[in-house]
Amino acid sequence: MSTPSQQAPIKFAYWVPNVSGGLVVSNIEQRTSWDFEYNKKLAQIAEKAGFDYALSQIRFTAGYGAEYQHESVSFSHALLAATEKLNVIAAILPGPWDPAVVAKQIATIDHLTGGGRIAVNIVSGWFKGEFVAIGQPWLEHDERYRRSQEFIEALKGIWSRDDFSYHGDFYRFHNYSLKPKPLKQPEVFQGGSSRAARDMAAKVSDWYFTNGNTVEGIKAQIDDIRAKAAANNHSVKIGVNAFVIARDTEEEARAVLAEIIAKANPEAVNAFGDAAKQAGKSSPEGEGNWAKSTFEDLVQYNDGFKTNLIGTPQQIAERIVALKAVGVDLVLSGFLHFQEEVAYFGEKVLPLVRELEAGKVALAA
Ligand SMILES: Cc1cc2nc3c(=O)[nH]c(=O)nc-3n(C[C@H](O)[C@H](O)[C@H](O)COP(=O)(O)O)c2cc1C
């Protein structure tokens, strides 16, 4: 029996490059800019190309790349104002942000942009140096998720109910009525792969975003989450990260990957790996994002090479359909040269995916 996620067309998102340095920790040329003019044009190209979502990033300070960072909520609003259909997901970090402020900001953006196109990605934090730099307490791994869960419960409560009261360990509300409420309930995404992340997704989030992985690795996570979600009477959709290298021939695509790795900045990659592994390793079961990442994997911030969307449009389309078959609802994509490659993806890969989904063409043996 097919699940709803297998029936709906798979969705596509791209990482908004609102931080400098692109999405690979490498000195290879990246024709990508973090400035607004570049991003505005990129968003317009992406919605024309058939992308459903753009995902912004939040960083308060540099570390291992990303020297400059534009703030995610204001940047997302500007991208919505420059587009017509694209949904934009604003990254939110509990700690620096408070749910009352976020609920209000996002409701206002929803009104300013016509309703239904702003979403949030609640990220629980991996970079201790950032929290220290801005004077925020650094909670241990599972405590960060306990706080994020309360954050999401508070957001959803504020957005949907009048006289909202909540008595958590981190947040409290007393008969609070947000006015105006958003025109449409904003979707709530979350990022992370640890057991705590999966447990939270199975309880409160609308979407679970995870790092790149093999089809088998992703299937194991999805089976775990969907079983737990069913027990909680909750349903959650799944988005998977992938660094896409689509070229006319497989040799060209593989050569680009080899060059990215060959030109990787080893000090930055290793330093990023040490910091990032705190996130996954410090989870009690040691299964979080990056817990098992190799040097090569870490050259892409979110293990995007592992998903292997690297090759010809046909190969990539087939692998996307294989991801869909294990329950993936959305592919979150990163690129070396965003504007050119998002357009190429829309022209060459996406139509093949739609044909495969409709069963119009057969999968290669
Ligand atoms: C798709 C995705 C997007 C993320 N975006 C951000 C971000 O913008 N800022 C941030 O600090 N962390 C971000 N993270 C990191 C997560 O919040 C989390 O700290 C990390 O994935 C480790 O979680 P884990 O230990 O549960 O695996 C993101 C993670 C994923 C999977």
Side-chain angles (χ1 to χ4, degrees), residues 13-341:
Y14 73 91
W15 286 91
V16 174
N18 59 312
V19 304
S20 65
L23 287 179
V24 288
V25 194
S26 171
N27 297 324
I28 191 171
E29 184 198 11
Q30 299 191 60
R31 291 191 295 278
T32 290
S33 169
W34 59 284
D35 71 30
F36 181 63
E37 281 312 310
Y38 182 92
N39 269 286
K40 180 177 164 182
K41 188 165 170 213
L42 172 60
Q44 290 165 347
I45 292 171
E47 76 175 354
K48 203 164 148 230
F51 279 73
D52 306 280
Y53 293 93
L55 172 69
S56 65
Q57 309 170 55
I58 183 60
R59 281 258 204 137
F60 284 85
T61 182
Y64 335 115
E67 193 181 354
Y68 297 91
Q69 322 95 25
H70 282 306
E71 187 276 320
S72 50
V73 176
S74 42
F75 209 79
S76 297
H77 180 205
L79 293 180
L80 286 167
T83 51
E84 286 169 7
K85 292 185 297 192
L86 192 67
N87 301 296
V88 183
I89 312 165
I92 304 287
L93 196 55
W97 264 296
D98 180 272
V101 177
V102 172
K104 194 83 181 149
Q105 277 181 305
I106 298 296
T108 295
I109 293 174
D110 193 53
H111 281 261
L112 294 175
T113 55
R117 291 204 291 137
I118 181 79
V120 291
N121 185 29
I122 308 302
V123 296
S124 296
W126 58 273
F127 183 17
K128 183 177 177 185
E130 175 181 58
F131 277 67
V132 171
I134 61 172
Q136 284 286 328
W138 178 244
L139 305 182
E140 67 160 64
H141 184 273
D142 285 12
E143 286 295 283
R144 298 201 292 276
Y145 278 98
R146 222 158 61 76
R147 175 169 64 184
S148 294
Q149 182 173 326
E150 288 194 7
F151 198 104
I152 293 171
E153 286 168 346
L155 275 185
K156 290 192 163 186
I158 297 168
W159 280 334
S160 62
R161 276 183 256 155
D162 277 336
D163 295 319
F164 174 66
S165 291
Y166 187 86
H167 304 284
D169 288 341
F170 299 92
Y171 305 111
R172 274 152 200 260
F173 291 86
H174 303 282
N175 301 318
Y176 176 52
S177 298
L178 173 75
K179 293 183 182 176
K181 299 215 172 10
L183 293 167
K184 276 196 169 171
Q185 289 300 300
E187 291 184 293
V188 177
F189 291 70
Q190 65 159 85
S193 308
S194 58
R195 177 156 302 281
R198 284 180 256 155
D199 289 351
M200 183 171 87
K203 283 187 210 137
V204 292
S205 304
D206 301 319
W207 284 88
Y208 168 84
F209 261 144
T210 189
N211 269 11
N213 210 324
T214 58
V215 173
E216 298 71 40
I218 289 162
K219 183 178 186 303
Q221 290 179 40
I222 295 176
D223 291 348
D224 179 38
I225 291 169
R226 292 240 153 98
K228 285 178 186 154
N232 296 333
N233 242 333
H234 179 71
S235 90
V236 55
K237 288 179 265 189
I238 310 288
V240 172
N241 178 51
F243 193 81
V244 177
I245 309 176
R247 297 292 185 274
D248 291 345
T249 66
E250 187 178 3
E251 292 67 38
E252 277 175 84
R254 292 277 153 210
V256 172
L257 176 63
E259 191 186 343
I260 293 172
I261 306 288
K263 293 187 175 163
N265 176 340
E267 279 160 31
V269 173
N270 286 325
F272 167 65
D274 288 344
K277 281 188 178 182
Q278 281 200 24
K281 273 203 176 145
S282 64
S283 63
E285 81 297 339
E287 278 182 14
N289 278 356
W290 309 295
K292 301 182 183 78
S293 307
T294 63
F295 175 88
E296 191 170 309
D297 296 329
L298 289 165
V299 175
Q300 203 290 304
Y301 287 112
N302 288 85
D303 278 0
F305 304 141
K306 273 193 191 166
T307 316
N308 195 24
L309 299 190
I310 298 168
T312 63
Q314 179 70 27
Q315 290 173 316
I316 291 173
E318 290 181 6
R319 289 175 197 148
I320 290 171
V321 173
L323 289 169
K324 186 179 176 186
V326 299
V328 171
D329 300 285
L330 177 151
V331 172
L332 168 64
S333 51
F335 302 89
L336 203 54
H337 313 302
F338 267 82
Q339 288 181 353
E340 295 105 292
E341 297 191 42

